[in-house]
Amino acid sequence: MARAPESLELNTNVVADKALDRDCTTLSRHVLQQLQSFSPQAQDLSALMNRIALAGKLIARRLSHAGLMEGVLGFTGDVNVQGESVKKMDVYANDVFISVFKQSGLVCRLASEEMEKPYYIPENCPIGRYTLLYDPIDGPSNTDTNLSLGSIFSIRQQEGSDLNGEAADLLASGRHQLAAGYILYGPSTMLVYTIGRGVHSFTLDPSLGEFILTEENIRIPEHGPVYSVNEGNFWQWDESIREYVRYVHRTEGYTARYSGAMVSDIHRILLQGGVFLYPGTLPKPEGKLRLLYESAPLAFVIEQAGGRATTGHMDILEVVAKKLHQRTPLIIGSPKNVAKVESFIQNGH
């Protein structure tokens, strides 16, 4: 039998080596590589991302069996601090993050949109100087219909002693985030994160039980065709937003995509370009999205990928919260798309 040319064998070996290197690049290892350090803070961030990954695996497993298990889907009958009906998966996912980080030794507090006040872990507080802020289930309306869902997370370092339990240091702007990202529960489970050194994606390999590197240094296109907004709110918006939507309706090259789960829509825009809008309404000009748990973490990710995130008047990462559950309008995505929306808000065209 004829022997394969030596150059072909060499190329095949190179491809195989690259594939093996990628399969060996787990999330915790990648963080250390990004920081090019084994310093205590680098090891802390690596360990924290590993715990977030564990939470994602547990939630993904629960979702994959949701239709086969009793007591997983539907509402609990309770209302959360936001005045929203609580779904059973919201409660489960929130409890997962708490349980996972109780064991970390690094996190002193967890703040979630499902809890009125931060959850303190007294046994961690002497050494744990980090806080996890998170939205345990993004897109809860999709829970009972087997559509995409997500989790959003942000890591901040505790500043001060917080002796009164008010967590006032968390009200600093989004520039104080050490890390942020999201987990997307779709056909595959993906984790996307940034520590201020680009944006990187990982896919959960069920056979290994590990998140494996998918793509490094993701860059959002300068402009994209997608606009993502709940047009059911059209008549509740300010006229400037309505005029922008009329503009995309009559302009060739735009396509509407809206899933009801912000993580899913943002992930599409990160890869394909475009803009996601959740503006305020005339009755609620502050909007719906929570600054600390949703808008700021996603803004950190998108900015690190070369995009922009704004309220329409200022960058999201410059907004200083006045309370833990503060809401804000959000316009986020490709820089040219975001600039076009801003032009309608600020100039009317």
Side-chain angles (χ1 to χ4, degrees):
M1 184 172 66
R3 190 172 183 273
E6 189 173 328
S7 60
L8 180 58
E9 286 185 354
L10 182 60
N11 288 339
T12 302
N13 290 336
V14 169
V15 170
D17 288 346
K18 286 183 177 179
L20 187 57
D21 284 346
R22 186 195 65 185
D23 287 348
C24 291
T25 305
T26 61
L27 182 61
S28 55
R29 174 185 170 187
H30 191 265
V31 173
L32 294 174
Q33 289 176 339
Q34 286 291 300
L35 293 169
Q36 299 179 338
S37 167
F38 285 92
S39 67
Q41 187 179 52
Q43 293 186 55
D44 285 353
L45 281 175
S46 177
L48 288 168
M49 292 304 302
N50 208 32
R51 304 310 291 183
I52 290 169
L54 175 58
K57 294 173 196 175
L58 291 168
I59 294 167
R61 184 181 66 179
R62 182 82 163 190
L63 287 169
S64 69
H65 293 88
L68 302 173
M69 300 166 59
E70 290 188 12
V72 173
L73 303 178
F75 293 94
T76 64
D78 296 326
V79 175
N80 66 13
V81 65
Q82 316 293 340
E84 301 162 342
S85 296
V86 177
K87 294 215 166 191
K88 293 174 183 177
M89 271 305 304
D90 290 324
V91 173
Y92 174 79
N94 194 67
D95 289 346
V96 162
F97 276 98
I98 291 173
S99 181
V100 162
F101 279 93
K102 271 183 178 179
Q103 303 170 22
S104 72
L106 294 169
V107 166
C108 176
R109 306 171 297 190
L110 296 99
S112 160
E113 72 166 59
E114 296 299 325
M115 303 184 294
E116 183 175 1
K117 294 184 177 181
Y119 183 96
Y120 287 80
I121 308 172
E123 59 270 30
N124 286 3
C125 286
I127 56 172
R129 304 297 293 174
Y130 300 93
T131 297
L132 180 76
L133 299 98
Y134 63 102
D135 179 359
I137 291 289
D138 167 68
S141 61
N142 287 355
T143 305
D144 297 338
T145 51
N146 200 31
L147 299 177
S148 292
L149 298 164
S151 298
I152 304 170
F153 61 87
S154 169
I155 297 170
R156 298 194 185 213
Q157 191 151 20
Q158 184 171 316
E159 298 177 11
S161 58
D162 190 23
L163 295 177
N164 61 5
E166 295 296 322
D169 58 300
L170 296 181
L171 304 183
S173 78
R175 302 286 179 200
H176 288 247
Q177 296 174 104
L178 295 177
Y182 57 83
I183 304 168
L184 174 61
Y185 310 105
S188 59
T189 299
M190 296 194 72
L191 188 153
V192 176
Y193 90 100
T194 183
I195 52 173
R197 303 190 180 203
V199 176
H200 319 286
S201 68
F202 291 72
T203 302
L204 178 61
D205 183 336
S207 65
L208 296 174
E210 290 281 1
F211 280 97
I212 301 300
L213 179 64
T214 307
E215 186 175 356
E216 286 187 293
N217 298 312
I218 299 170
R219 301 300 292 175
I220 191 170
E222 282 282 305
H223 179 272
V226 174
Y227 75 98
S228 183
V229 64
N230 183 358
E231 294 192 47
N233 293 329
F234 186 88
W235 293 110
Q236 298 183 60
W237 293 330
D238 183 81
E239 178 59 25
S240 61
I241 298 295
R242 295 203 299 266
E243 193 55 38
Y244 170 76
V245 172
R246 293 188 186 104
Y247 161 79
V248 295
H249 283 176
R250 64 177 181 262
T251 303
E252 187 176 355
Y254 284 95
T255 183
R257 294 289 185 269
Y258 186 76
S259 70
M262 181 168 60
V263 163
S264 181
D265 293 327
I266 293 292
H267 188 68
R268 182 201 305 272
I269 287 167
L270 174 65
L271 299 180
Q272 298 180 355
V275 64
F276 175 93
L277 302 93
Y278 214 114
T281 60
L282 296 177
K284 295 182 177 180
E286 70 278 9
K288 178 185 177 183
L289 301 177
R290 269 63 60 158
L291 174 63
L292 297 179
Y293 313 116
E294 296 169 307
S295 298
L298 293 175
F300 191 16
V301 171
I302 291 296
E303 276 204 8
Q304 281 293 309
R308 288 194 58 219
T310 174
T311 64
H313 298 282
M314 67 183 298
D315 289 347
I316 287 289
L317 293 182
E318 300 296 340
V319 178
V320 177
K322 296 179 180 177
K323 56 184 179 180
L324 280 176
H325 296 285
Q326 181 167 322
R327 300 174 188 260
T328 181
L330 178 64
I331 300 151
I332 185 170
S334 297
K336 290 184 178 179
N337 294 75
V338 171
K340 174 59 74 173
V341 180
E342 284 180 315
S343 72
F344 278 86
I345 293 172
Q346 298 170 11
N347 309 310
H349 59 79

